[in-house]
Amino acid sequence: MLKFKVGYKTRWGENLFLRSGERSWAMEYEAGELWSAEIDENELFGNEDNVEYYYEVRTDGIPTRHEWRAHSLSRGAAGEIADSWSDIPGWKGAGTAVPVFALRSGDDFGVGEFLDLAKLVDWAAATGQSVIQILPINDTTMTGEWMDSYPYNANSTFALHPQFINLQAAGVVPNEEFVKLQKELNGLEKIDYVRVNEAKNAYLHKAFEADWSKVCKRKAYRQFLSANRYWLLPYAAFSVLRDIYGTAEFSNWEDMAVYDEGKVEAFCKKHKKEVDFYCFVQYHLDAQLRQVRNYAHSKGVILKGDLPIGISRTSVDAWQYPQLFNMDSQAGAPPDAFSADGQNWGFPTYNWDEMAKDGYAWWTSRLRKMNEYFDALRIDHILGFFRIWEIPVPQKSGLEGHFSPALPYSGEELRNWGYGDRMHCFVEDPRRPGWYHPRINAQRELGGLYYDYFYHRHNEFWKNTAITKLAALLGSSNMLTCGEDLGMIPACVPDVMAKMNILSLEVQRMPKNPDETFANPAWYPYNCVCTTSTHDMSPIRAWWEEDRALSQRFFNEMLGFSGAAPYFCEDWVCKRIISQHLHSPAMLVILPLQDWLSMSAELRYQGNPADERINVPAICPYYWRYRMHISLEDLLAADAFNADIAALIRDSHRG
């Protein structure tokens, strides 16, 4: 019998649990703010010789807090294990944000690959950084065209994108033709998404033909298949059906249009070779990403993943679990700094009531899968867990949307309050005829009712629903969680995020205080991630040239320089901006690679800085094809520049 002890000061209603994977054990309170639990060794270890575990706080039965890093234990350890809660009070780190597809190395095939992350880890370690943040890496193959480059429109929330595979490591033997094409694609300034993916797919088929008979017998492959069968076989069947019918629109798949487990199993047997191919590719992708994760850990660097808020309506998930989604609606965002007309992402919205019936199992399995690769997590558009901007099909404009869930007004209420002649200022709820939501652009016409609806009416309602949803997510992994909380933020959001230890996102150009033009990094909270720009924004050099009056004001007010601002954002200006961020109280400063490079007149991109932008949200669809202009090998060799970054990070007491 093993006895675990940990010191932790709880508040009323809080209890501690020891957790290992999906299993948990309640702990008992002892004197002196000490909690303990006795667990049978065989029950804890099962068939394994080593386990990882961590402690979790539950408030009224809901997981609200857990340790950042897990503890490790080997079979045969001492009978009593005394632990300290793995929090790092006051610890501050720095890191880099870059999409995997944007990486460039001599080993690539026209696009960044998982194994490139090892070189980026070396650079991070050499400069004193501890975090690498990437964009979503799930498979987005729908049409085979460049529109598939959008990383937030995956065909599976579990499968990894084949474009990130290193062909040689997956068994491809280079020949003269391979080397010639590799050199050509790698020499392009930006990614040719279609040519890269078509070529990789062809070479992977050759590797499959040559190696499958050996790979399928490996113990590692059999373990991978067993652990991932629940999503892997539906994904493989989906991919084969997409190829057969030439479309991911599963409504066109004749007798396979509606998912049926028995039919899918029979289909997989009938098309075994084609299904095995997709399992073969996912096996290699999984192995390569795990290899990089382990290497990052050996260097003291963690990987931070990205959880998209939406799923594609032509995805495995929508095909397999249609009851979990409102297919008659589209998710988006109300008008904001990114788009005056709002955004329509096209994703179906979530049927949260249906999801709650099985304890949000789809979400928890999704998070557990991500936890296999990542130590930290960015929740894209975390406001979607409070409410989502819902646009009825077939409307296109974000101006036609409303928040969901929400508390609309009845038509009778509005008429009694004197709004009968202004019903054009409202949109009718698509699921509750006779009930209405104020239009997002009716601020002047509706006055106080507009402000009540958008800023007060839903605070407690959204707070309670968000806590329930987020608790299910956070309780399914031990990743450090960060929320992208930009835009129209309900008053309840900061309180919920603080209560659940979710770091906020702070961007200087998008202050949370509506009375400020710029946020001051010196006043950021500790529990946040701060950055100079995001993938949806211009890098700082491009932003500097977009509005001369604004950059002049920034130069004087935020950087403290007098006189006229330089026309271009010179290296010394960029260095001042980055230094301010590094010296902020924020737990994490994670900067885009483009902004790190902006500090060097020699290494920065010499063309138009606007070409370094990754995405323009107002343009849909947008071609996501940005790639580093220098190689990771050259970046690693830039000793003077790397020493400069290391000194900045060291002087700001990060790392």
Side-chain angles (χ1 to χ4, degrees), residues 167-179:
L167 293 171
Q168 299 94 313
V172 174
V173 179
N175 55 20
E176 185 177 345
E177 175 192 9
F178 178 98
V179 173

Side-chain angles (χ1 to χ4, degrees), residues 200-270:
K200 284 200 168 189
N201 187 55
Y203 278 114
L204 285 169
H205 271 91
K206 291 180 181 179
F208 173 74
E209 292 287 347
D211 295 345
W212 174 242
S213 61
K214 298 188 294 262
V215 170
C216 68
K217 297 173 184 175
R218 292 178 187 168
K219 181 181 178 182
Y221 175 77
R222 294 197 301 270
Q223 289 176 334
F224 169 76
L225 180 62
S226 175
N228 296 279
R229 180 180 292 272
Y230 67 99
W231 66 264
L232 182 60
L233 294 186
Y235 160 77
F238 176 96
S239 300
V240 175
L241 284 160
R242 177 201 60 211
D243 298 344
I244 291 173
Y245 288 99
T247 179
E249 293 278 359
F250 50 81
S251 59
N252 297 329
W253 291 352
E254 299 176 355
D255 64 330
M256 298 296 287
V258 177
Y259 184 90
D260 179 273
E261 188 173 351
K263 284 185 177 181
V264 170
E265 288 181 1
F267 178 87
C268 288
K269 290 177 182 177
K270 183 179 179 181

Side-chain angles (χ1 to χ4, degrees), residues 20 26 78 105 112 188-189 233 237 243 246 294 312 325 410 445 465 476 496 536 582 619:
S20 179
S105 83
L188 299 176
E189 183 178 342
L233 294 186
D243 298 344
N294 294 341
S312 172
F325 311 102
S410 70
E445 293 91 336
T465 58
S476 61
V496 171
D536 282 330
L582 289 171
I619 300 176

Side-chain angles (χ1 to χ4, degrees), residues 32 44 53 108 117 166 206 213 231 267 305 309 313 324 339 345 362 367 433 451 455 458 487 551 558 584 614 631 655:
L44 178 65
Y53 66 95
D108 296 333
L117 288 167
N166 179 275
K206 291 180 181 179
S213 61
W231 66 264
F267 178 87
I309 187 60
R313 61 181 60 249
L324 300 183
S339 176
W345 303 324
W362 178 80
L367 266 288
Y451 284 99
Y455 296 100
H458 299 94
S551 54
M558 301 309 300
S584 75
I614 295 171
S631 70

Side-chain angles (χ1 to χ4, degrees), residues 3-43:
K3 184 169 184 178
F4 293 81
K5 289 186 175 183
V6 64
Y8 188 89
K9 184 177 182 180
T10 53
R11 293 177 294 185
W12 179 257
E14 291 183 338
N15 289 281
L16 253 63
F17 285 74
L18 186 147
R19 183 170 188 141
S20 179
E22 298 182 32
R23 301 166 302 158
S24 63
W25 295 266
M27 304 190 74
E28 295 183 358
Y29 179 76
E30 297 183 3
E33 299 176 352
L34 196 66
W35 290 78
S36 68
E38 290 191 351
I39 304 172
D40 181 84
E41 185 180 57
N42 292 325
E43 182 184 354

